[in-house]
């Protein structure tokens, strides 16, 4: 976890040793790592998506993580979800003022057609632009990946003849990359989407492909500087999510 030492209080190498003792801990100001979760899902999947991502974020056994829940104001919700948002979610400008160490953009349910017609297009792209300069790392999932590729690189998603829907095995393309090092050779990931961005387009924009399937294409791509991690599938899904 991040340690911030007050002036003239930083320990020597001998003091630090291999662990933090009480003397060092008493001089350290410790704050959690702030991870923003931008939930753009509709009512039916809103709380489930929140739970799924928080479960993944909270599975880290060492780091102290503070999730900051964010929902675009331009997406309208029924009374139940609106009440939930008022109780647990943070306005975007407040999250920006506090600062975030990382940010995750969920997928969303959007009709086929121009993405800029999506109610939260401007809200999300403005937040993505802010994150590029103010956040260490950004993760985009499914539609959020298509939004950032369109907004930042002018790459259009391609409507598929059939919906990409099911659980697919994916091969690790570069097992030396730190994001996938020591992972299994085959990773099964759920997909649920009508649109796709091809491997060629990711590569053309300078991104590295880390995981893909020969039938449904790229699952995981990352920018060269690690600041942008893009998913086209849904590794956060519960075991029953596709069935529902």
């Amino acid at each position: 976890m991040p340690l911030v030492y007050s002036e003239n209080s930083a320990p020597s190498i001998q003091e630090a040793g291999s662990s933090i003792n009480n003397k060092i801990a008493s001089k350290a100001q410790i704050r959690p790592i702030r991870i923003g979760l931008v939930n753009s899902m509709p009512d039916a999947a809103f709380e489930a998506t929140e739970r799924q991502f928080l479960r993944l974020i909270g599975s880290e056994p060492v780091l102290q993580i503070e999730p900051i829940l964010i929902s675009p104001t331009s997406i309208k919700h029924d009374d139940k979800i609106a009440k939930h948002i008022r109780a647990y979610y943070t306005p975007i400008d407040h999250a920006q003022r506090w600062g975030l160490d990382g940010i995750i953009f969920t997928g969303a349910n959007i009709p086929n057609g121009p993405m800029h017609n999506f109610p939260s297009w401007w809200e999300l792209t403005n937040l993505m632009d802010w994150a590029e300069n103010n956040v260490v790392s950004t993760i985009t999932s499914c539609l959020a990946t298509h939004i950032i590729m369109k907004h930042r690189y002018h790459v259009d998603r391609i409507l598929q003849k059939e919906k990409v829907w099911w659980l697919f095995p994916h091969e690790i393309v570069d097992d030396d990359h730190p994001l996938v090092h020591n992972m299994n050779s085959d990773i099964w990931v759920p997909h649920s989407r009508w649109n796709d961005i091809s491997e060629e387009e990711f590569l053309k924009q300078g991104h590295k492909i880390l995981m893909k399937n020969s039938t449904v294409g790229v699952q995981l791509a990352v920018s060269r500087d690690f600041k942008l991690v893009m998913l086209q599938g849904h590794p956060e899904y519960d075991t029953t999510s596709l069935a529902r």
Side-chain angles (χ1 to χ4, degrees):
M1 62 184 66
L3 299 180
V4 181
Y5 291 95
S6 58
E7 187 176 0
N8 300 322
S9 70
S12 65
I13 295 177
Q14 290 76 18
E15 284 182 306
S18 59
S19 62
I20 299 175
N21 59 35
N22 290 337
K23 178 182 177 182
I24 297 173
S26 67
K27 298 178 181 179
Q29 298 173 8
I30 302 174
R31 73 158 179 85
I33 295 175
R34 294 193 185 101
I35 305 296
L37 175 62
V38 184
N39 191 348
S40 300
M41 294 299 287
D43 292 349
F46 190 89
E47 290 180 284
T49 298
E50 172 191 306
R51 181 187 67 249
Q52 291 160 2
F53 275 102
L54 288 181
R55 182 176 57 214
L56 293 178
I57 295 171
S59 65
E60 166 55 51
V62 177
L63 298 178
Q64 183 182 355
I65 295 176
E66 177 186 4
I68 306 295
L69 302 177
I70 301 167
S71 178
T73 59
S74 47
I75 297 179
K76 304 306 178 185
H77 297 281
D78 65 20
D79 291 343
K80 176 178 179 290
I81 299 300
K83 182 179 179 180
H84 179 79
I85 291 172
R86 288 194 297 270
Y88 299 107
Y89 279 64
T90 299
I92 289 177
D93 59 333
H94 289 192
Q96 290 173 318
R97 187 161 60 248
W98 297 342
L100 299 171
D101 300 296
I103 190 167
I104 301 169
F105 291 85
T106 73
N109 186 12
I110 176 176
N112 294 314
M115 283 188 292
H116 62 260
N117 290 339
F118 181 48
S120 288
W121 169 264
W122 297 109
E123 203 170 2
L124 289 173
T125 53
N126 285 338
L127 186 54
M128 288 172 175
D129 289 342
W130 173 84
E132 184 179 13
N133 298 312
N134 294 279
V135 177
V136 174
S137 183
T138 297
I139 296 177
T140 57
S141 174
C142 198
L143 180 77
T145 291
H146 297 170
I147 288 176
I148 203 166
M149 286 292 287
K150 173 63 175 178
H151 173 64
R152 191 170 294 177
Y153 307 105
H154 310 291
V155 174
D156 289 306
R157 59 182 184 162
I158 303 300
L159 179 63
Q160 305 299 287
K161 294 180 179 179
E162 297 182 350
K163 186 174 185 179
V164 180
W165 184 84
W166 198 239
L167 190 64
F168 297 92
H170 295 74
E171 63 173 311
I172 301 298
V173 178
D174 180 4
D175 58 8
D176 289 328
H177 194 282
L179 286 184
V180 294
H181 185 58
N182 286 335
M183 291 181 72
N184 293 333
S185 55
D186 287 331
I187 308 294
W188 291 78
V189 180
H191 286 256
S192 181
R193 55 187 168 86
W194 277 99
N195 293 275
D196 180 72
I197 292 178
S198 69
E199 178 177 354
E200 291 73 20
E201 287 292 355
F202 282 110
L203 294 174
K204 192 183 298 183
Q205 307 310 319
H207 302 311
K208 188 174 185 62
I209 308 300
L210 297 183
M211 192 183 300
K212 66 179 182 179
N213 171 277
S214 58
T215 301
V216 301
V218 173
Q219 155 57 12
L220 173 61
V222 61
S223 61
R224 296 291 180 180
D225 60 5
F226 278 40
K227 284 179 66 67
L228 178 59
V229 178
M230 294 169 286
L231 311 171
Q232 288 203 98
H234 290 276
E236 79 281 4
Y237 271 3
D238 294 323
T239 54
T240 59
S241 292
L242 286 176
R244 291 200 305 269

